Amino acid sequence: MTAKQDNLILAFESSADETSAAVVKNGHEILSNIVATQIASHQRFGGIVPEVASRHHLEWINRVTKEALQEASVTDPAAQLSAVAATYGPGLVGSLLIGLMAGKTFAMVHDLPFIAVNHLAGHISAANFVQPTSYPAMAVMVSGGHTELLWMAKENSFQIIGTTLDDAAGEAFDKVGRILGLNYPAGKEMQEMAAKGQANIHFPIAHTENTFDFSFSGLKSSVLNYVHHADQLSEQINKNDVAASFQKAVVEAIIEKTEAAIQVFQPVQLLLGGGVAANLALRTAIEHLAQTYHLKLTEAPISLAGDNAAMIGAAAYLNFKAGRFSGLDLNTDPSLNFSRM
């Protein structure tokens, strides 16, 4: 595919509970990024209900597409766009199908090449909206469903060097938030509570021997036991202190493994992405770590830390440059992941 001077990609993201369409220019400039969230619909259930999410995606996909094209001043898609992209995994199968079918259909109607994007690559590629990446690089991907350390030897190359063995960090935040009586998603409220509290409760961090893997299930259980023990003794707990102590444990676990991996792999740049990348305590700790090892650091903008189509457009552009296009017979891959080193 011959690249134009400016390449515009229409991207779709619908892997979980956000319906999003965006137009991204040259992989690093956002012309539009429309996101319809479903948080209010899922709060009463304490988490995402797949069937509810799918129905909302169906309701919103055409609206966000129309608005994204209008905001980007795309009036002739066949002439102005270079490609169409969509997330095909990982995620909820019913949700993924909506965005993927929208992308493939749009590409077919306008005779445009189609690019399938790994959702995780999208979170990492959000860093491209801040500055270009220098290689070799290491990415810290922390979201509701994934906590991973990724090695990037070159552009558009991702290999897992560490992953969670059970709960992801974001999942642990939501589960502990439920224990404390918070609404889903709990991350933002937990952060606000932690800022008011003291990290004076010892919650253990799981130490996975000789690996860069994470484990947060035991930490979650430790918080649950602490709260239940206090209830049995009719003792009043300080929820702000619990939030602060839990957040500290999560951040320390991520930093411990990231630092160990830095010492072994010696990257020149560190990337931080994913929904939990919006957590200020984690961002501060990553910044300190990067300074300690004199690494270039790029953090996904907080506004792009959650699921959105702009990050999918950024990842798609890397595939576009490499000539990696997908057939219109492509199906979803809910358990899609990167290869492990």
Side-chain angles (χ1 to χ4, degrees), residues 121-240:
H123 274 302
I124 297 166
S125 298
N128 291 333
F129 294 118
V130 179
Q131 62 179 343
T133 300
S134 300
Y135 300 93
M138 181 181 296
V140 186
M141 225 296 293
V142 194
S143 70
H146 299 271
T147 303
E148 294 179 330
L149 287 174
L150 296 159
W151 179 245
M152 303 162 63
K154 58 183 179 180
E155 184 177 89
N156 213 20
S157 172
F158 308 93
Q159 289 184 295
I160 297 174
I161 56 177
T163 188
T164 181
L165 301 177
D166 38 60
D167 291 342
E171 185 180 5
F173 265 98
D174 288 334
K175 289 181 177 179
V176 169
R178 194 177 304 131
I179 293 169
L180 297 179
L182 307 182
N183 288 324
Y184 167 86
K188 184 177 180 180
E189 192 172 357
M190 287 274 285
Q191 176 178 269
E192 293 170 351
M193 291 172 62
K196 301 173 185 176
Q198 300 293 323
N200 52 16
I201 306 166
H202 174 68
F203 292 131
I205 302 171
H207 295 280
T208 52
E209 295 296 328
N210 302 317
T211 75
F212 305 116
D213 292 331
F214 305 93
S215 174
F216 296 105
S217 180
L219 172 58
K220 172 205 64 183
S221 298
S222 180
V223 176
L224 179 63
N225 291 336
Y226 177 86
V227 173
H228 282 181
H229 181 69
D231 287 343
Q232 290 172 349
L233 297 178
S234 298
E235 294 179 350
Q236 188 72 26
I237 66 169
N238 186 317
K239 291 186 177 181
N240 292 337

Side-chain angles (χ1 to χ4, degrees), residues 97-125:
L97 276 169
I98 308 302
L100 182 62
M101 290 304 297
K104 292 195 295 184
T105 301
F106 197 97
M108 180 177 65
V109 169
H110 297 283
D111 195 25
L112 291 165
F114 177 70
I115 301 170
V117 174
N118 185 316
H119 178 78
L120 306 183
H123 274 302
I124 297 166
S125 298

Side-chain angles (χ1 to χ4, degrees), residues 1-4 7 82 320:
M1 179 63 62
T2 302
K4 304 175 184 177
N7 291 285
S82 297
F320 178 84

Side-chain angles (χ1 to χ4, degrees), residues 1 115 155-156 315-325:
M1 179 63 62
I115 301 170
E155 184 177 89
N156 213 20
Y317 182 69
L318 300 179
N319 285 337
F320 178 84
K321 288 198 300 179
R324 297 179 184 175
F325 301 102

